[in-house]
Amino acid sequence: LLFAIEFIVMVLMHDLLDGMAYWAAALFDAVLVVVTALPLLWYFQVRPLKQATTREAQQLHLLGAALHSAGNSIFITDREGRIQWANEALARASGHTVESLIGNRPSILKSGAQDATYYQRLWKTILGGEIWSDETVERRQDGSTYTVLQSITQSLKVAGEMTDFVAIHEGIKVAKAIEHDTHHRAEHGGLTGL
């Protein structure tokens, strides 16, 4: 744009200064500006953008690898509650394949242990922009159940509107065993267990 403006100014000046020599000088000046400005434009504008894009791609790759290999079950749903992405930990915990989870609603894991009020509170909380966290009993594909500490939060906002939810399931079998052991020790004596 700068080059075009400079060229137009030079052409207008030509009307004031008749002569072929001016056209040649104007053309030479415009070419000189372009030739000297392009390397600077590349160095200060294009190169940093390419570096930023490469850094962002590396960070996205790292984030994807971390989510994929996390020990906790993680899945992302759209606003309607359809699973868009799930990690292998959810597949292992639920007995479903990642592919069979995608496109389904999390109700595929519903055990029936929670009542309708539980789910009404859950949706009210997350649609209100707050983080939901509570114990949830889920059902595996084989029908057996397992308990998780479920946390759900809004993920992305586009133009001020929420678009996705992220759910994390932390297995609480170990935490429950520690809690039971601590309670048992408190009631029966730490050393003897009596």
Side-chain angles (χ1 to χ4, degrees):
L1 181 63
L2 179 63
F3 311 122
I5 292 171
E6 184 176 345
F7 187 75
I8 291 169
V9 168
M10 287 183 213
V11 169
L12 291 175
M13 288 179 66
H14 174 269
D15 289 343
L16 298 174
L17 306 169
D18 281 330
M20 213 48 162
Y22 180 76
W23 274 103
L27 184 58
F28 178 77
D29 285 348
V31 169
L32 184 63
V33 167
V34 169
V35 168
T36 57
L38 282 179
L40 294 173
L41 179 67
W42 179 86
Y43 186 79
F44 290 110
Q45 294 294 321
V46 175
R47 191 177 65 86
L49 288 175
K50 286 176 74 176
Q51 290 173 342
T53 302
T54 301
R55 259 191 321 274
E56 288 171 0
Q58 290 170 343
Q59 288 176 342
L60 283 174
H61 176 72
L62 183 61
L63 178 62
L67 289 173
H68 186 70
S69 63
N72 290 342
S73 300
I74 303 171
F75 60 96
I76 300 171
T77 70
D78 60 16
R79 185 172 173 83
E80 287 75 39
R82 295 197 191 287
I83 298 172
Q84 303 297 305
W85 181 89
N87 70 352
E88 288 295 325
L90 180 61
R92 283 191 303 274
S94 69
H96 294 276
T97 64
V98 169
E99 294 77 22
S100 69
L101 291 165
I102 304 299
N104 277 301
R105 295 181 186 275
S107 59
I108 194 172
L109 306 172
K110 192 173 181 179
S111 67
Q114 290 77 224
D115 61 9
T117 305
Y118 174 90
Y119 292 103
Q120 289 168 353
R121 286 182 310 154
L122 182 153
W123 279 103
K124 182 179 179 185
T125 301
I126 61 177
L127 288 174
E130 297 178 40
I131 297 172
W132 169 266
S133 186
D134 202 352
E135 283 187 19
T136 305
V137 179
E138 300 287 24
R139 181 178 39 89
R140 291 186 180 91
Q141 187 177 25
D142 66 8
S144 63
T145 60
Y146 62 106
T147 304
V148 297
L149 177 59
Q150 176 174 247
S151 297
I152 304 173
T153 187
Q154 291 182 3
S155 170
L156 299 173
K157 286 192 177 188
V158 176
E161 196 168 318
M162 186 282 309
T163 60
D164 295 297
F165 296 105
V166 175
I168 300 173
H169 288 180
E170 182 178 354
I172 59 173
K173 184 191 251 183
V174 174
K176 287 282 190 185
I178 291 170
E179 180 182 329
H180 175 71
D181 185 52
T182 302
H183 182 70
H184 180 77
R185 286 178 187 226
E187 287 185 358
H188 301 287
L191 295 176
T192 63
L194 299 173

